[in-house]
Amino acid sequence: MSGKEKIQEDVLYAEKEAKENEIILYNDDVNTFDHVINTLIYACEHTPEQAEQCSIIVHYKGQCTVKSGSFEELKPRCTMLLEAGLSAEIL
């Protein structure tokens, strides 16, 4: 194996290891748009526009990725969403 192939293999492995987790927010028939938007602003540090767009996607598509990052970073954010009565999980 040449040095170049070894470097490419190492880069591919590092990319696989650095794969980010995602918080997926799911649609429900309980929460209002305002509540979802305000919760995304608070829990995920979205801008009002970003939170509104995510809430619309969730409404029409059934789910939306609302935040990406390491599991350690996402866990408290997902907990805030769940405590606010939203349906979410980390994948």
Side-chain angles (χ1 to χ4, degrees):
M1 177 182 300
S2 73
K4 186 175 182 178
E5 289 173 338
K6 176 69 175 148
I7 291 171
Q8 287 177 334
E9 184 178 297
D10 291 344
V11 168
L12 290 174
Y13 180 76
E15 287 175 355
K16 184 178 178 183
E17 289 296 308
K19 182 176 183 272
E20 292 189 327
N21 296 91
E22 300 175 329
I23 296 177
I24 308 295
L25 181 66
Y26 296 99
N27 191 32
D28 62 42
D29 295 329
V30 178
N31 294 292
T32 65
F33 276 96
D34 285 340
H35 178 64
V36 173
I37 290 167
N38 290 331
T39 304
L40 288 172
I41 291 169
Y42 170 72
C44 296
E45 299 179 1
H46 282 197
T47 64
E49 295 82 11
Q50 186 180 14
E52 182 179 1
Q53 290 173 351
C54 285
S55 67
I56 291 169
I57 291 169
V58 168
H59 179 73
Y60 287 106
K61 299 283 187 176
Q63 67 183 42
C64 178
T65 299
V66 295
K67 196 74 172 176
S68 298
S70 68
F71 183 83
E72 293 77 24
E73 176 192 354
L74 298 181
K75 183 156 178 49
R77 295 179 187 277
C78 189
T79 299
M80 286 188 268
L81 294 173
L82 295 172
E83 288 176 350
L86 303 182
S87 298
E89 71 176 335
I90 300 174
L91 296 179

